[in-house]
Amino acid sequence: MSISRREFLTAVSAATALSAFPFGTAGAASLEKKSVKIAVGGRQLIYYLPLSVAAGLGYFKDEGLNVEIIDFQGGSKSLQAVVGGSADICSGAFEHTVVMQTRGQRMQAFVLQGRAPQCVLAINNHTMKHYKSLADLKGKKIGVTAPGSSSQIMANFCLHFAGIKPSQVSFIGIGTSSGAIAAIRSGQVDAFVQLDPVISMLMEHKEITIAVDTRKVNVSDKLYGGPMVAGCLYAPEAFIKKNPNTVQAIANAIVRADKWIAKAKPEDVLKVVPQSYQLGNRKLYIQSFLANRPALSKDGLIPAQAPETAKRALATVNPQIANARIDLSATFTNRFAEAANKRYR
């Protein structure tokens, strides 16, 4: 069958357009849902840096997506948004997928942002000048990003090994930025579990003493007895089944961001994130980034042992988790991240 010159040139033009924009609007027609709302608890945290990079570098737009990122005070609040239907996907801690299954709501993680929690349990030097061990925290006020968040789970886990029950301390939600700094300086809390850049800023002025630091992967693995993965993107299982192409596009963007961060210069990161993330100190933000980068995922893949590690950690503070019938294999899938890695090598 012969074709005219006009038809040939039209076909070539179309092929060229597809080649020039292989991950952009050319593939957008296959998306089941082009506008997506992602809930996150503390977007400015380096814990969620891949999400910010994916948005800042236009990776979501390259996939034909219109992504709205809704920021909340902590991980438990962002989870509530997804459960309540005001957001489609949660950028939060992996362990929520385990907890939610015990409540009859199946959530599934589909791309990883953090290989380790990056949370730091730190002591307030203003109120705990004679601190010697975690046992000294009995009866004290412990700051967390938000009640029920991964920061409180870590606090409970560390206190458990010091022989302290959650009921023997007072937990106070203090957020993740200037509010957390103010809580330390005003003596509102005697210790807290926080993330960077807050930790680095208070360390510079010697206002806190680090007790447990899971920014270091080896420390995290030893503490939890396996890979305790952190920030990920997860969604209701029903959403993933209904919108596999959309979920794939989001995973593509996050994997691209993971890989970019693994090689980026700190100065390049500063150009991507909003200036407000730096809390007025570019130098300290760079230090925070470098301290946390080893704990960020390089490929978006979730280790097979992660669900069991998360369940074991949760069980130390919630005995019901230990005996609960949980299909751990359903808490995550790597098929989207694996496909993204084939596309972005």
Side-chain angles (χ1 to χ4, degrees):
M1 180 180 68
S2 62
I3 62 174
S4 68
R5 175 179 173 81
R6 176 177 292 180
E7 291 172 328
F8 173 77
L9 291 176
T10 299
V12 170
S13 177
T16 301
L18 286 170
S19 175
F21 304 99
F23 313 120
T25 56
S30 64
L31 299 178
E32 302 89 358
K33 187 177 177 64
K34 295 181 181 180
S35 294
V36 179
K37 293 181 179 180
I38 299 178
V40 60
R43 181 179 175 181
Q44 82 284 356
L45 298 173
I46 292 174
Y47 185 97
Y48 297 119
L49 183 59
L51 179 68
S52 295
V53 167
L57 292 180
Y59 291 166
F60 289 126
K61 290 183 179 179
D62 288 349
E63 298 292 335
L65 292 163
N66 177 25
V67 171
E68 178 185 356
I69 299 174
I70 309 171
D71 204 2
F72 293 89
Q73 186 180 34
S76 59
K77 299 291 185 181
S78 56
L79 171 58
Q80 289 173 15
V82 174
V83 172
S86 59
D88 303 299
I89 292 170
C90 188
S91 175
F94 174 79
E95 60 260 31
H96 289 305
T97 65
V98 178
V99 174
M100 292 306 292
Q101 200 177 123
T102 67
R103 300 174 183 173
Q105 298 185 16
R106 294 168 76 92
M107 298 280 182
Q108 191 171 64
F110 60 87
V111 66
L112 189 64
Q113 298 178 87
R115 170 59 178 80
Q118 303 156 61
C119 293
V120 175
L121 174 58
I123 311 303
N124 188 346
N125 291 342
H126 298 290
T127 64
M128 299 280 290
K129 295 180 179 179
H130 303 294
Y131 168 82
K132 294 181 180 179
S133 71
L134 290 176
D136 295 337
L137 294 178
K138 186 176 181 179
K140 301 300 183 179
K141 295 172 290 186
I142 313 296
V144 295
T145 59
S149 64
S150 60
S151 61
Q152 184 170 351
I153 291 172
M154 178 182 167
N156 284 342
F157 189 72
C158 294
L159 293 172
H160 169 80
F161 286 102
I164 302 174
K165 298 178 181 179
S167 60
Q168 293 176 311
V169 298
S170 298
F171 287 109
I172 302 173
I174 57 175
T176 57
S177 56
S178 57
I181 294 174
I184 287 290
R185 290 176 174 169
S186 67
Q188 181 184 358
V189 296
D190 300 298
F192 68 6
V193 175
Q194 270 294 325
L195 303 102
D196 269 322
V198 169
I199 292 297
S200 292
M201 298 196 82
L202 291 172
M203 281 294 294
E204 182 184 43
H205 298 287
K206 299 180 181 180
E207 296 179 81
I208 56 174
T209 297
I210 292 179
V212 182
D213 188 352
T214 64
R215 294 175 300 181
K216 301 174 181 178
V217 175
N218 63 327
V219 171
S220 176
D221 286 355
K222 183 177 180 180
L223 175 68
Y224 292 106
M228 186 67 174
V229 296
C232 64
L233 265 65
Y234 64 86
E237 193 175 73
F239 179 90
I240 295 175
K241 289 181 177 179
K242 184 179 179 180
N243 304 283
N245 295 337
T246 297
V247 172
Q248 183 63 67
I250 293 170
N252 290 345
I254 295 297
V255 167
R256 282 183 75 186
D258 286 344
K259 292 179 177 291
W260 184 87
I261 291 168
K263 299 178 180 179
K265 296 179 180 179
E267 295 78 12
D268 295 330
V269 175
L270 287 175
K271 295 176 183 177
V272 174
V273 301
Q275 190 172 356
S276 60
Y277 288 17
Q278 302 163 29
L279 297 179
N281 195 319
R282 291 166 59 91
K283 179 182 177 181
L284 272 180
Y285 187 86
I286 288 177
Q287 291 179 9
S288 299
F289 166 67
L290 294 175
N292 284 270
R293 177 155 61 177
L296 294 174
S297 175
K298 297 179 181 179
D299 55 18
L301 295 169
I302 299 169
Q305 310 95 318
E308 182 60 45
T309 303
K311 181 184 178 183
R312 186 169 59 248
L314 289 166
T316 64
V317 297
N318 185 349
Q320 293 181 347
I321 295 286
N323 301 320
R325 297 183 63 181
I326 303 173
D327 181 3
L328 293 177
S329 65
T331 61
F332 80 105
T333 176
N334 274 328
R335 67 187 179 100
F336 298 105
E338 288 171 351
N341 274 278
K342 290 179 182 178
R343 173 174 285 185
Y344 301 105
R345 297 183 184 279

